[in-house]
Amino acid sequence: MSSLRIKSDIKQILVVLLIVIFFVTLIFLNYVLFSTRAFIYEQNIKNQIPPIPGRFLWSLPISNESYCNFNYGLPNKLNFSESDLHFPPQEGTNSSYRVLYNVVEGDVEESVPKVTYVTHVTVDFVLFIPEIVRYWNGPISIAAFVPAQDAQIFFQKLFRICLCLADMSRVSIHLVFPVNFEPYLEEFTNSSHFQDCEVRNEFKDKFNRIEHDISYPINVGRNVAREAANTHFVMVTDIELIPSAHLAESFLEMMQFFRGIDPVTQVYVVPTFEVEIGYDMPLTKKNLLELVDAGAAVYFHKFLCPHCQKFPGIDAWVTKQERKSVEPFLSVKREYPFHRWEPIFIGTKLDPLYDEALSWEGLQDKMPQMLQMCLLNYRFVILDNAFLVHWPGIKGRHKRTNDGWRTPYIKRNTERYGHIIRQIASTTESSVNRKCRLQ
């Protein structure tokens, strides 16, 4: 009897061992398969050639006349006096930067949807200007940071774009520069200098900001471009963010439908995504969701700053099928646990300004504005069937960049943000919404 029981126990042990071995083998094979797929996927991504912004211009005919409305002696030279210069909107006379508004002055027809794409640019990103013009059919207001010789590089590229793209007539451009490094431009023959529309990003003697201890004043650019907009509604965004199809007019149609429901303290969030290199830019939600399902699109900065652009209700947003019209999806406040959220939104020129003491290099440059909007009890209406897509490439997915060079700038921004928080805490102690989480 004992012998039979032992044999039975041995059989049970063997069966358990076989089951364990089976599942371990299965897990191992899945791991190998996943690793192999991941390796192939990474190799495919590495072999993809990143798209060139402005590449579509190359097939366009060049014009003898510029489509841009230049001021201050442009395009042949840049002439301005001290009386033409302005101080930035927030810091005013305390600022070390100066502004020259409307060096290019947009002319907007009545039929153009009155929502302005507000953005900023350096010489490195000039070729994104035609991409925005291509996809956004409303007015465009751009602040260009052009210290010293960067103005020569900037205008040399811009002049050719203005000879090739008719819709540049909708673009206004304003110059921002350090007071000690005014932009200069050598005399330049415009149309006869160019033979085609093949504009490339080539840089010679570019201004070295690090060498001169000058950071990129991203919030000066945002405020300047927003201040110069001539429409009630504005969308302050970054120049690498491409809008979904017909976003401006679809938004205005929605606002017409919901006429009267537009309080001052309400803005409209445009969800932001990024797409792998090698895929076409999605212009409809249907196309975007196909890429999300395939793992080729994720919400913006998912791998670099997960809390920055992961908006409330995102899981439901990416499962809700496309509809033709832009419509409200969810109305929320920027309160805990979304107190680190930095949405891009369509708002107005009455919204709080961006803090101009914060630099791009130091990160968290939108946080004071976001905190102020929370304390002012703003509502954030997340839009459906509208979105922005970062120019192809998912940041941080395949390798981490070395951002050690940012350390001193991060320290400066952190100190500035700490000062802002102390100011708020001391002046509004009794009325602070604790859910806004000052830290």
Side-chain angles (χ1 to χ4, degrees):
M1 192 73 180
S2 162
S3 175
L4 289 174
R5 187 174 296 164
I6 291 171
K7 288 181 180 179
S8 175
D9 290 343
I10 292 172
K11 284 181 181 180
Q12 289 179 359
I13 292 169
L14 288 173
V15 169
V16 171
L17 283 173
L18 286 172
I19 292 172
V20 170
I21 291 169
F22 172 77
F23 280 107
V24 169
T25 304
L26 190 63
I27 292 169
F28 176 74
L29 290 174
N30 280 334
Y31 173 78
V32 170
L33 182 61
F34 175 82
S35 299
T36 303
R37 283 178 176 171
F39 176 77
I40 294 171
Y41 180 77
E42 293 248 359
Q43 293 307 307
N44 287 339
I45 293 300
K46 286 178 182 178
N47 292 331
Q48 290 288 351
I49 299 173
I52 301 172
R55 174 67 176 81
F56 74 96
L57 291 173
W58 298 5
S59 62
L60 299 181
I62 196 163
S63 170
N64 291 324
E65 299 291 333
S66 175
Y67 295 111
C68 294
N69 180 26
F70 288 105
N71 292 316
Y72 301 104
L74 294 168
N76 296 318
K77 58 182 73 173
L78 178 62
N79 289 332
F80 61 89
S81 63
E82 189 71 24
S83 62
D84 296 318
L85 299 180
H86 296 261
F87 297 107
Q90 190 212 29
E91 287 204 308
T93 56
N94 294 323
S95 178
S96 58
Y97 298 97
R98 296 295 180 267
V99 182
L100 188 62
Y101 282 103
N102 289 310
V103 293
V104 175
E105 193 167 1
D107 181 18
V108 180
E109 297 178 0
E110 189 59 36
S111 60
V112 169
K114 303 302 188 294
V115 184
T116 302
Y117 186 108
V118 172
T119 192
H120 51 92
V121 70
T122 62
V123 292
D124 312 68
F125 294 90
V126 178
L127 294 186
F128 282 94
I129 294 176
E131 294 294 346
I132 300 306
V133 174
R134 182 184 185 187
Y135 291 109
W136 181 266
N137 58 358
I140 299 168
S141 179
I142 302 172
F145 184 59
V146 287
Q149 65 266 29
D150 276 11
Q152 181 77 22
I153 303 170
F154 177 80
F155 282 112
Q156 186 161 342
K157 298 181 188 309
L158 183 69
F159 292 157
R160 188 182 296 194
I161 295 170
C162 289
L163 291 169
C164 295
L165 190 58
D167 281 337
M168 285 295 293
S169 60
R170 292 187 279 110
V171 177
S172 298
I173 297 178
H174 328 283
L175 304 188
V176 174
F177 51 88
V179 68
N180 295 326
F181 294 95
E182 288 192 354
Y184 59 83
L185 182 66
E186 297 172 4
E187 274 205 34
F188 197 73
T189 52
N190 47 40
S191 58
S192 62
H193 183 82
F194 304 115
Q195 304 302 317
D196 55 45
C197 292
E198 191 171 323
V199 195
R200 293 181 178 273
N201 255 346
E202 297 167 348
F203 305 106
K204 293 179 180 178
D205 302 321
K206 193 176 83 166
F207 183 79
N208 189 325
R209 300 201 305 260
I210 304 299
E211 180 182 308
H212 295 285
D213 193 28
I214 295 173
S215 54
Y216 179 38
I218 187 169
N219 285 343
V220 175
R222 286 171 173 149
N223 288 341
V224 164
R226 195 187 83 170
E227 183 79 8
N230 293 318
T231 60
H232 175 66
F233 289 113
V234 294
M235 181 174 69
V236 181
T237 182
D238 295 333
I239 197 138
E240 295 173 278
L241 297 179
I242 307 298
S244 54
H246 313 298
L247 176 51
E249 63 264 46
S250 297
F251 170 78
L252 290 178
E253 287 171 7
M254 180 196 78
M255 295 305 297
Q256 186 70 15
F257 184 78
F258 292 101
R259 196 184 323 180
I261 313 176
D262 181 29
V264 173
T265 55
Q266 181 162 290
V267 293
Y268 303 87
V269 176
V270 185
T272 308
F273 293 82
E274 49 192 347
V275 172
E276 279 290 14
I277 294 171
Y279 291 88
D280 292 335
M281 187 74 69
L283 298 179
T284 65
K285 187 178 180 183
K286 180 177 182 291
N287 297 147
L288 175 66
L289 294 185
E290 288 171 353
L291 295 179
V292 169
D293 290 342
V298 297
Y299 68 84
F300 191 39
H301 281 173
K302 177 179 180 178
F303 300 102
L304 290 182
C305 182
H307 57 265
C308 292
Q309 295 293 330
K310 186 176 183 180
F311 55 93
I314 185 172
D315 293 335
W317 196 96
V318 297
T319 57
K320 186 180 178 185
Q321 295 304 304
E322 178 185 57
R323 295 180 63 173
K324 289 184 179 179
S325 59
V326 169
E327 55 192 38
F329 176 74
L330 184 66
S331 179
V332 298
K333 293 185 179 180
R334 188 186 167 276
E335 298 174 340
Y336 180 84
F338 295 100
H339 59 293
R340 306 294 292 177
W341 181 34
E342 297 179 346
I344 293 170
F345 55 83
I346 297 174
T348 75
K349 294 166 68 173
L350 299 175
D351 299 325
L353 290 167
Y354 297 85
D355 191 291
E356 292 173 0
L358 300 179
S359 69
W360 167 78
E361 293 87 347
L363 305 176
Q364 300 192 104
D365 42 80
K366 293 181 184 177
M367 290 298 287
Q369 187 216 36
M370 290 286 97
L371 174 58
Q372 195 173 351
M373 292 174 77
C374 181
L375 294 170
L376 289 171
N377 210 32
Y378 265 75
R379 296 204 70 85
F380 291 77
V381 180
I382 298 167
L383 298 178
D384 198 13
N385 306 306
F387 56 89
L388 296 165
V389 177
H390 186 265
W391 187 258
I394 295 180
K395 293 184 176 181
R397 182 178 219 170
H398 307 292
K399 63 179 181 179
R400 287 281 181 180
T401 55
N402 181 10
D403 281 351
W405 61 273
R406 288 184 182 267
T407 300
Y409 301 101
I410 291 173
K411 183 179 178 182
R412 290 180 204 171
N413 274 16
T414 301
E415 289 173 353
R416 172 63 181 168
Y417 187 55
H419 175 69
I420 293 166
I421 287 173
R422 288 190 294 274
Q423 276 188 320
I424 291 172
S426 64
T427 57
T428 59
E429 185 176 353
S430 60
S431 59
V432 166
N433 177 359
R434 302 300 175 186
K435 292 183 179 178
C436 292
R437 291 291 179 90
L438 299 184
Q439 292 284 11

